[in-house]
Amino acid sequence: MSKLNIGIILGSTRQGRVSPQVGEWVKSIADKRGDANYEIVDIADFKLPLFGESDATEQATNWNTKLASLDGFVFIVQEYNHSISASLKNSLDYAREAWNNKAAGIVSYGSVGGARAAEHLRGILGELSVADVRVHPALSLFTDFENGTVFKPADLHLTNVNGMLDQVLAWSGALKTLR
């Protein structure tokens, strides 16, 4: 059986964001495992306008094609005002079937580890028929980032990232039989 394809989705598009640092960290851990094909998927690269405000046929097609090529996801989610970023919500809304019957893990960060954003994302993923896994690495802006900009994760997060990836792969493999 071929390896599963897992997208590590960067959930922010703003200037100065730290999600690329977190995403690369998760990918470096994942790549050492050798158990799947992992790739960074940056929503900023797809230049999706606000949903329904302009013709985005090309961008939406490209976005849906990318999502369809993936068997599961790891969302890198930062907490903005107790929720996910507007750009992440917008990108979730641009697809429907491409999300269905896949699994997702969440790595969040914020002043309380991004827990509130992760909980909002779980509700949205449920509506999109995405099975989110239980293990959830939650990173603190106070202890895992230097001056709020340089990512320096505590070693204790390694166990949670690997546990989350174990669950994402198990669920992604099981759900692939439904697609």
Side-chain angles (χ1 to χ4, degrees):
M1 186 171 166
S2 62
K3 289 183 178 179
L4 295 171
N5 297 312
I6 306 297
I8 300 169
I9 298 179
L10 304 183
S12 175
T13 58
R14 72 171 176 81
Q15 290 288 7
R17 63 196 171 138
V18 295
S19 59
Q21 293 176 63
V22 178
E24 289 296 337
W25 172 71
V26 170
K27 186 175 185 312
S28 72
I29 295 167
D31 285 344
K32 288 176 187 164
R33 297 164 53 99
D35 54 5
N37 301 313
Y38 297 95
E39 70 175 289
I40 300 285
V41 179
D42 190 344
I43 60 176
D45 293 341
F46 292 87
K47 309 231 183 296
L48 295 165
L50 285 176
F51 187 72
E53 287 201 353
S54 62
D55 179 22
T57 302
E58 183 179 349
Q59 296 99 315
T61 299
N62 293 340
W63 177 238
N64 278 269
T65 299
K66 171 47 69 186
L67 296 175
S69 74
L70 300 169
D71 299 304
F73 313 99
V74 173
F75 287 89
I76 308 300
V77 181
Q78 51 291 314
E79 187 168 308
Y80 290 175
N81 298 319
H82 292 216
S83 191
I84 63 174
S85 69
S87 55
L88 178 56
K89 178 62 168 90
N90 192 55
S91 68
L92 290 162
D93 290 342
Y94 261 101
R96 185 84 188 157
E97 290 80 20
W99 296 116
N100 295 169
N101 297 317
K102 296 181 181 180
I106 299 170
V107 177
S108 64
Y109 60 91
S111 59
V112 291
R116 297 168 294 208
E119 287 307 308
H120 282 184
L121 180 57
R122 288 180 193 282
I124 297 164
L125 293 176
E127 183 60 26
L128 295 171
S129 297
V130 176
D132 61 281
V133 302
R134 187 185 74 69
V135 177
H136 165 208
L139 308 166
S140 170
L141 285 177
F142 303 114
T143 59
D144 295 306
F145 293 84
E146 186 176 280
N147 298 321
T149 58
V150 179
F151 184 51
K152 293 188 174 183
D155 291 339
L156 64 93
H157 296 301
L158 185 60
T159 300
N160 280 340
V161 171
N162 276 304
M164 176 204 58
L165 292 171
D166 289 343
Q167 291 180 348
V168 168
L169 290 180
W171 280 84
S172 293
L175 289 168
K176 190 170 185 171
T177 64
L178 298 176
R179 297 190 308 276

